[in-house]
């Protein structure tokens, strides 16, 4: 029946009203900068720069600004409208609340440090099992796109995998990612996500282009060993994603 669902989506997107709204306009999204510490020990704006600009880019990709919530571990640093304070309960409750009205799907974008047991989340840690439970509780029975930008973030792929899931991670389960220093504007993966999203047609092309961009940047900067970002797309979602094109993007955040 997957072909029938694909035909239905293609027909729906051809309708003037729905085409105007866009396939992601009724999706809930949360974007979280879950740390502000650089790998050298000082502070960095890299994660919050990514949080801010990814949120803006999602609007250019067809997400409704009113359905996107931003979280930061240091919200007091930023002008209004400030991001919310990043804590696990708050992120879960916000995703669940927005998903109660924006019911077509859910997107989570997390950028932080990572280690083999999960990612840094403020003073604590978010494990793959806990994130899987949060998604299931907030977005049951609907498509989910989860993007985790952190070292060792490949550990999230298997726990988050499902027929209607897409998972993008910045690294293999056993590899570091790069670009979270005091002087970095963005982590490498976030920079490449933003760069590729400005021209990609859909999430499948975005995932492929981001991987290619990260590999090129690591080669250019001699960052070793390669982080090897991971992509997993469930069988029920894979044939549909190419039918969810991004609008033609003529504006958005400045190039990284």
């Amino acid at each position: 029946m997957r072909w029938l669902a694909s035909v239905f989506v293609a027909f729906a997107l051809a309708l003037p009203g729905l085409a105007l709204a866009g396939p992601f306009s009724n999706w809930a999204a949360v974007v979280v900068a879950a740390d502000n510490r650089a790998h050298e020990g000082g502070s960095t704006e890299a994660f919050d720069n990514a949080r801010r600009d990814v949120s803006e880019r999602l609007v250019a990709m067809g997400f409704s600004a009113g359905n996107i919530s931003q979280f930061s571990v240091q919200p007091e640093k930023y002008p209004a409208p400030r991001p919310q304070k990043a804590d696990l309960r708050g992120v879960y409750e916000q995703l669940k609340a927005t998903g109660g009205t924006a019911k077509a799907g859910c997107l989570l974008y997390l950028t932080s440090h990572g280690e083999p047991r999960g990612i840094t989340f403020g003073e604590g840690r978010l494990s793959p099992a806990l994130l899987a439970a949060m998604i299931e509780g907030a977005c049951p029975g609907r498509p989910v796109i989860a993007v985790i930008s952190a070292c060792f973030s490949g550990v999230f792929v298997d726990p988050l995998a499902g027929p209607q899931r897409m998972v993008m991670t910045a690294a293999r389960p056993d590899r570091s990612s790069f670009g979270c220093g005091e002087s970095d504007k963005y982590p490498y993966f976030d920079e490449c996500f933003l760069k590729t999203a400005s021209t990609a047609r859909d999430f499948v092309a975005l995932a492929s282009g981001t991987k290619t961009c990260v590999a090129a940047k690591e080669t250019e900067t001699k960052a070793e060993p390669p982080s090897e970002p991971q992509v997993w797309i469930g069988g029920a979602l894979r044939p549909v994603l190419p039918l969810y094109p991004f609008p033609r993007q003529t504006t958005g955040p400045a190039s990284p």
Side-chain angles (χ1 to χ4, degrees), residues 23-24 26-30 58 63 91-92 95-96 99 102-110 128 130-148 156-157 159-169 193 203-204 207 231-238 240-241 244:
F24 296 107
N26 198 34
W27 279 53
V30 295
L58 289 177
F63 288 78
V91 169
Y92 172 75
L95 182 62
K96 186 174 182 180
K103 299 181 178 182
C106 292
L107 179 139
L108 298 89
Y109 195 111
L110 308 174
L130 180 54
L131 182 57
M134 290 170 63
I135 291 173
E136 189 59 37
C139 305
R142 68 192 74 174
V144 174
I145 296 173
V147 185
I148 300 99
F156 284 86
V157 173
L160 299 187
Q164 295 194 84
R165 303 278 179 82
M166 177 178 185
V167 185
M168 297 174 61
T169 72
F193 181 97
F203 269 105
V204 177
V231 178
W232 192 95
I233 306 175
L237 189 57
R238 180 175 290 277
V240 176
L241 278 178
Y244 283 5

Side-chain angles (χ1 to χ4, degrees), residues 117-203:
R117 295 178 296 171
I119 66 169
T120 300
F121 204 103
E123 297 302 320
R125 183 178 68 246
L126 174 59
S127 70
L130 180 54
L131 182 57
M134 290 170 63
I135 291 173
E136 189 59 37
C139 305
R142 68 192 74 174
V144 174
I145 296 173
V147 185
I148 300 99
S149 175
C151 295
F152 308 102
S153 48
V155 298
F156 284 86
V157 173
D158 287 346
L160 299 187
Q164 295 194 84
R165 303 278 179 82
M166 177 178 185
V167 185
M168 297 174 61
T169 72
R172 282 176 18 176
D174 59 343
R175 292 284 174 87
S176 296
S177 53
F178 302 95
C180 54
E182 294 176 7
S183 62
D184 288 308
K185 183 174 182 180
Y186 306 111
Y188 285 13
F189 179 88
D190 299 320
E191 176 179 338
C192 285
F193 181 97
L194 287 164
K195 181 178 180 180
T196 307
S198 66
T199 57
R201 179 186 183 277
D202 54 38
F203 269 105

Side-chain angles (χ1 to χ4, degrees), residues 32 40 49 55 61 80 84 95 97 132 142 169 220 246 253:
V32 185
E40 302 98 330
N49 288 339
S55 298
M61 291 160 62
Q84 300 178 56
L95 182 62
R142 68 192 74 174
T169 72
E220 176 188 350
F246 304 147

